[in-house]
Amino acid sequence: MKYVNQPIRKSDAMALVTGKPVYTDDLAPGDCLIVKILRSPYANAWIEDIRTGTAAQVGGIACVFTYKDVPQKRFTLAGQTYPELSPYDRLILDRHLRFVGDAVAIVAGETEAAVDKALKRIKVKYRVEEPVLDIHTAMDNKILVHPEDNWESKVPVGADNRRNLCASHAEESGNVEEALAKCKYTVDQVYHTKANQQAMMETFRSYCYMDYFGRLNVVSSTQIPFHVRRILGTALDIPSSKIRVIKPRIGGGFGAKQTAVSDVYPAFVTWKTGRPCKLIYSRYESQICSSPRHEMEIRVRAGADENGIVRAIDVYSLSNTGAYGEHGPTTVSLSGHKSIALYRHLEAYRFAYDVVYTNVQAAGAYRGYGATQGIYAVESAINELAAQMQMDPVKIRELNMPLEGGPLHGYGDSPCATSCAMDQCMARAKEMMDWDAKYPFRDMGNGKVRGVGVAMAMQGSSIAGVDVGGADLKLNEDGSYTLGLGCSDMGTGCDTIMAQIAAECLETPMENIVVFGVDTDISPYDSGSYASATTYTTGVAVMQACESLRQKICALGAAMLEEDPKNVDFDCEYVYSSDKKVSLKEIAVKGTCGNTQELQVTRTHSSKISPPPYMVGMAEVEIDKETGSVKVIDYVAVADCGTPINPNLARVQTEGGIAQGIGMALYEDIQYSNKGAIRNNSFMQYKIPSRMDIGNIRVDFRSSYEESGPFGAKSIGELVIDTPSPAIANAIYNATGVRVRELPITPEKVAMGILKLEEGE
């Protein structure tokens, strides 16, 4: 293949590295109103009185809005296909404030200085109430996060606002208790993952303006343009046809921008005033009022027979959705469905969960989307089983891992592994790490030890039967092609990948493919860039569009040659028969003059299955036994993502996901005060790893071929964050004997664990 499976440079690379104006704030007009939000200092409070008169009198202030001014129609900010599983529990501004950072008022003015001055002049009298901060006591608590009568769950997900429940569910196959009772080896442990911030370089931001048709235009750094249009229509209580959403370049999302965090406020200002405006979140706001990963506490019971075959797994996930339910019912489901399925011999499994409301910052989507938390828990439990059996943790996985054609227990989106190279991934990772020589640990002298650990993971490729990818392709007068996409390139390079697929299908140079980003007025519908769907789903739509356009080109070329279309062929430069030909450029010109056959097609695609990609991760860490400090020396990752359309982009996706996973495992530690205020409100307090902290990352691929994907491709974007936490935790145990079951694994936890072991506790 000339373009697919080739390391093509990103099409926007030079524009980005040379600082061209491509991002939302770059494109906003200079005379925009500046929009800022007054935020609640309390975790649970009611506005008894709010006075904005003095603020409105500040020079340059255009408007001040409070809960009295907004529609009283609840909605969700979750970017999910309708009907959303997330409950409708928000207003643009509410009298009831549910976390520290919740929106109290909207101020818009000519300058930032004027807006800052006006914010200080708003006088609010609060009735402060006790917050619910503990996930263990939230359910059925007398304090209700959402006592309102117009709270609504549109889909039966077990939600009940009178119980502080955002979702609840249980499923079981076989008799788990009987299966566990028969197992020679069992574990029963609880694993806790904290909330994590995506920390993308470009914070949340949107600008809005009215066009001459009286429609609201929203330019937003978002992963979900079409969902934003629907969300804003609901929130503003206007028809979605009155709204147009445009996505420029995105400076990273990692799932955070699958929630319409910032769009509703400037949209409301522009709709009410008719004036253009913009809202740019500060890093402080992105830390305290955005959409971080869901905190989860997961209990895992697992059992294996005397031969190391895992026979039963029982998973219970308690998830903290925070003050609002965005993505609460959906993220938690992956914590079981993507982890239990890693073990193919199960006689029985059970998966249950509760998602609770609390008075902290609302959680949302983050790369891995619940699978990360679940895989950390289940893989850690399997590592504990292996230690109990005195078995190499690689060996227990070799005995139990998914194999092509084999079952995927509890993974309803694909009953069996349609394509799977997990065994090859494990063998290659073991070779790259030199596992047999390094396992379990080596004493390096000077009080330092090095241990190795392993984990495996699977994710999905789109949401089966739900996600839709769209592609619009047309032939231009000069013989070039325009490819219109509905998916959002958020830095991952999907625009480049789609151009590669089109160039391969059309047998034309990549520079002959002009890709334009998302504009809901002219782009084909696409669910958005999330759920590891873009390459897998939209890629097939691009292939289908290319095939349909080729047929149309052949039909018009045959007519120009006065031939039957069955008697011509197309080599992407000429349509030809046995003795005559017409060039693509001639056909393109003919398509604009006296022609009744449009040389343009739109295709959409949705898959009935969600074939998982697979990965093995191995970590080598060095621990200072005196201080407990942990340093990642080497990380090996081998992934099966089917056919990598662009190996370079797949590699950097993998490296980036591993770096984020290392941050989750060792550094990122969201903490709240007893009043519900987040302590980690800047990068001074919230530590993410730098290049100096992540050691050596080595990546390789072992490809299967997924027939339902474009050129055999599956996803890779989310999978790559799933293995670092359990692999690093396993390496620390192998080096020190200390088992840490709560992330992040800080030096204090390791040092205290070593001390307890030395004291014989």
Side-chain angles (χ1 to χ4, degrees), residues 354-513:
D354 291 306
V355 183
V356 295
Y357 283 113
T358 62
N359 290 116
V360 299
Q361 174 181 201
Y366 187 169
R367 191 179 207 165
Y369 204 79
T372 312
Q373 298 95 308
I375 288 172
Y376 164 66
V378 169
E379 286 297 273
S380 293
I382 297 302
N383 283 329
E384 296 203 42
L385 263 184
Q388 195 180 128
M389 291 185 285
Q390 297 183 331
M391 179 181 283
D392 187 326
V394 167
K395 179 65 175 177
I396 195 172
R397 288 171 173 81
E398 290 173 337
L399 292 170
N400 291 280
M401 67 174 56
L403 297 177
E404 188 158 303
L408 295 172
H409 296 287
Y411 184 70
D413 289 341
S414 292
C416 66
T418 55
S419 57
C420 179
M422 182 77 95
D423 53 346
Q424 298 176 45
C425 292
M426 183 66 76
R428 177 58 178 147
K430 189 176 179 181
E431 176 188 357
M432 291 172 68
M433 181 56 77
D434 195 10
W435 177 269
D436 290 336
K438 295 178 179 179
Y439 173 77
F441 75 96
R442 295 175 294 159
D443 193 325
M444 308 305 292
N446 298 321
K448 295 183 178 180
V449 289
R450 289 187 180 182
V452 290
V454 62
M456 59 185 184
M458 57 177 273
Q459 196 76 32
S461 301
S462 81
I463 305 173
V466 174
D467 284 346
V468 173
D472 180 278
L473 185 67
K474 67 178 178 179
L475 178 65
N476 301 314
E477 298 93 323
D478 62 351
S480 65
Y481 300 91
T482 297
L483 177 61
L485 300 171
C487 58
S488 296
D489 191 329
M490 53 178 161
T492 54
C494 70
D495 287 357
T496 305
I497 286 169
M498 297 307 148
Q500 287 180 254
I501 291 172
E504 192 72 52
C505 292
L506 296 169
E507 301 175 76
T508 191
M510 265 193 67
E511 55 267 24
N512 211 32
I513 308 289

Side-chain angles (χ1 to χ4, degrees), residues 315 374 715:
V315 173
S715 72

Side-chain angles (χ1 to χ4, degrees), residues 261-275:
V261 171
S262 64
D263 305 297
V264 68
Y265 306 112
F268 183 70
V269 169
T270 293
W271 184 251
K272 288 300 235 181
T273 67
R275 297 188 58 182

Side-chain angles (χ1 to χ4, degrees), residues 9-18 22-23 249-250 489 491-493 495-496:
R9 189 174 72 183
K10 282 180 64 180
S11 55
D12 61 351
M14 292 309 296
L16 298 179
V17 300
T18 56
V22 297
Y23 298 104
R249 274 281 162 255
I250 301 178
D489 191 329
T492 54
D495 287 357
T496 305

